[in-house]
Amino acid sequence: MIDRHDETQELLAGYVLQSLSGEDAAEADRLLTEHVPDCSECRMMLDAFQAVAGELALEAEPATPPDTLLPRIHREMDTRGRPGIRWTPGRLVAAAASVVLVVGAGGMALSQLEDRKTAQVPAADVQGLADFVVQHPTLLRQPLGGNAQEISARGVQELYVYGRGVPFPAPGLVYRLWAVSAHHATHLRDFLPYPDGTVLVRLAIDPSTFDHLLVTVEPAGSEPSEPGDPAWPEAG
Amino acid sequence: MRDSDREDLELHRRLSSGDRGAFDELYGRYAGSAYGLAYRVTGQQILAQDVVHDAFMALWRTPEAYDPARGPFRTFFLALVHHRAVDLVRRESRLHARSERAANLEPLVGEDPADAIAEESYLGVRRKEVREALAGLPPEQRQVLEMAYFGGKTQVQIAEELGIPLGTVKTRTFAAMRKLRAALEETG
Ligand SMILES: [Zn+2]
């Protein structure tokens, strides 16, 4: 049998350089969520390689950015809030529309959801999750049913819904994700598993602003006014 | 730990409590390295600006993403810049066939030599060590490393371009990273 750590660390070297794709990326993703968190040797190597990746930056010739860049950043700091601001449930509702936008590559229109049946999990998304997992040692995992889980970290305004072997809903139906608080549910987005049954949804929201996530199954393209049937009732 | 790393830690601590002066100081320290790196990877000034902008905004919004227990701020932040630059290049390359760049970049214009000197005195020593460590790699290892890191290429693409097996790319990358780690830990 091949030495597990060596094999893992060879993948980690490619991973920190963001140069993995296809099966290697999927394997690194698996190792980063299943092996590395519990293996001090591989964690140490990952940290060391991350540090090398940071140091390599210095090989590039430094250059002064345009004078307009810092003022542009300052303006945005004024309008987009400061660190540590907590979203109340009310603000979350008000911001729901923009939340759906900030999920980025994952925040696609309903018409594009169907394309997922032929699409692959983007390597960048997988790396994003893997980064999140290794950067936050105090990870919170909450099963959602259907082999999916919510992965978050306290005080971090970012969370993931991640699952492998997630069943497809019946044709014409999609999964719909809600943030549920005491008496209301905020629609976050709709999603379908990738063809291999992987679900990977990144949300730029603070997990402390709602009680729990809920996944329902709904007709594709329907108005997300209130949650319908839970997709995976076994989650309780 | 170097003095500059210790100062960074203090600046990060102040930034985390919303101190804009600390933010500006970190910008002064790292904007030049970040912009040079982003330009080297993306090959376009406008994209490089976006990368640096996004990286500093991410730092301001979620300073807790940096965990001091896991290494100096400098490597965390520049790795973040690199990550974003590669992401951007990948996204762009899906939209347009990527033009030949990276190998022969135009020098940046409008550079203020005084700024560059200030930056150099701060990171100059480490920059020299990194360059020496890279120069110490066997050429075939340095080649795959630079194609990945500065070219934003996947190992599969590198194997195709060089006409070598994917396994060879992996082995060379792993060997290069281990050597760099050893060399940089010795001097760091
Ligand atoms: Zn291990």
Side-chain angles (χ1 to χ4, degrees):
Chain A
M1 183 183 158
I2 303 164
D3 177 17
R4 202 73 195 132
H5 301 299
D6 250 26
E7 195 190 350
T8 300
Q9 289 165 16
E10 189 176 84
L11 273 173
L12 292 180
Y15 162 78
V16 302
L17 297 169
Q18 282 171 275
S19 60
L20 302 181
S21 56
E23 280 171 25
D24 287 337
E27 178 65 2
D29 158 43
R30 198 184 63 71
L31 290 165
L32 282 162
T33 49
E34 291 170 14
H35 173 80
V36 178
D38 300 318
C39 175
S40 58
E41 194 184 317
C42 286
R43 279 190 74 108
M44 200 181 70
M45 194 57 101
L46 179 63
D47 282 354
F49 284 165
Q50 299 271 26
V52 170
E55 301 278 26
L56 276 175
L58 296 180
E59 211 270 330
E61 202 56 46
T64 308
D67 292 343
T68 50
L69 186 56
L70 186 58
R72 178 180 154 204
I73 291 171
H74 280 161
R75 275 196 303 280
E76 206 162 323
M77 285 160 72
D78 291 336
T79 55
R80 298 278 286 272
R82 306 219 332 205
I85 289 182
R86 296 271 154 171
W87 289 5
T88 63
R91 289 183 65 182
L92 180 64
V93 173
S98 61
V99 165
V100 175
L101 289 179
V102 293
V103 295
M108 52 182 66
L110 273 171
S111 59
Q112 292 171 285
L113 276 175
E114 286 301 305
D115 295 346
R116 284 234 160 160
K117 288 182 178 164
T118 56
Q120 273 198 330
V121 190
D125 289 7
V126 174
Q127 292 206 338
L129 171 60
D131 282 352
F132 184 83
V133 168
V134 298
Q135 279 169 9
H136 302 290
T138 53
L139 220 53
L140 306 170
R141 294 167 185 266
Q142 182 71 42
L144 295 169
N147 295 328
Q149 55 181 318
E150 172 193 347
I151 302 177
S152 63
R154 215 181 300 282
V156 180
Q157 297 192 356
E158 179 181 4
L159 61 88
Y160 287 84
V161 173
Y162 176 65
R164 298 169 78 87
V166 177
F168 255 81
L173 301 179
V174 295
Y175 291 130
R176 184 161 289 168
L177 191 60
W178 307 80
V180 180
S181 295
H183 292 294
H184 66 261
T186 305
H187 173 234
L188 297 173
R189 53 165 302 187
D190 294 353
F191 67 90
L192 286 173
Y194 287 91
D196 64 355
T198 300
V199 164
L200 205 177
V201 179
R202 175 183 174 272
L203 297 162
I205 58 176
D206 184 336
S208 69
T209 54
F210 55 86
D211 295 339
H212 62 93
L213 290 180
L214 171 68
V215 179
T216 59
V217 59
E218 314 271 358
S222 61
E223 191 62 31
S225 48
E226 57 177 79
D229 296 329
W232 306 304
E234 79 270 26
Chain B
M1 189 188 273
R2 289 163 190 243
D3 283 350
S4 55
D5 289 343
R6 233 187 309 276
E7 290 158 13
D8 282 350
L9 266 185
E10 173 60 15
L11 288 170
H12 176 265
R13 193 193 59 72
R14 282 168 49 202
L15 165 80
S16 300
S17 56
D19 183 335
R20 297 178 64 137
F23 177 88
D24 286 0
E25 214 167 310
L26 284 171
Y27 183 91
R29 287 181 168 220
Y30 292 108
S33 289
Y35 189 57
L37 171 66
Y39 179 66
R40 172 93 177 259
V41 174
T42 63
Q44 292 182 39
Q45 299 192 26
I46 191 90
L47 295 183
Q49 284 177 46
D50 282 351
V51 167
V52 176
H53 166 272
D54 289 355
F56 277 103
M57 283 312 298
L59 175 64
W60 175 248
R61 289 205 196 108
T62 51
E64 67 275 9
Y66 168 60
D67 176 359
R70 306 192 64 188
F73 173 82
R74 168 173 50 85
T75 54
F76 159 81
F77 184 69
L78 292 176
L80 173 71
V81 171
H82 177 254
H83 199 117
R84 284 178 179 264
V86 170
D87 275 354
L88 192 60
V89 162
R90 298 258 169 88
R91 272 207 304 276
E92 289 285 309
S93 69
R94 281 203 287 273
L95 297 176
H96 325 280
R98 219 160 126 212
S99 54
E100 277 311 308
R101 38 147 229 99
N104 296 302
L105 289 179
E106 293 291 311
L108 285 173
V109 292
E111 205 171 311
D112 181 342
D115 287 353
I117 289 162
E119 200 272 352
E120 273 308 289
S121 66
Y122 169 57
L123 288 174
V125 178
R126 192 55 170 166
R127 195 180 299 286
K128 192 161 162 285
E129 288 163 358
V130 169
R131 287 177 176 169
E132 280 167 6
L134 268 167
L137 292 178
E140 70 278 6
Q141 289 178 14
R142 179 172 182 165
Q143 181 183 39
V144 295
L145 189 78
E146 296 213 340
M147 286 174 83
Y149 192 83
F150 293 112
K153 294 184 196 303
T154 65
Q155 293 187 333
V156 170
Q157 289 170 330
I158 294 168
E160 276 169 14
E161 251 178 68
L162 296 180
I164 56 176
L166 176 58
T168 307
V169 176
K170 290 183 186 179
T171 318
R172 286 180 189 174
T173 305
F174 188 32
M177 289 296 283
R178 280 203 291 201
K179 279 184 193 144
L180 286 177
R181 180 201 173 197
L184 292 172
E185 276 184 359
E186 206 170 281
T187 52

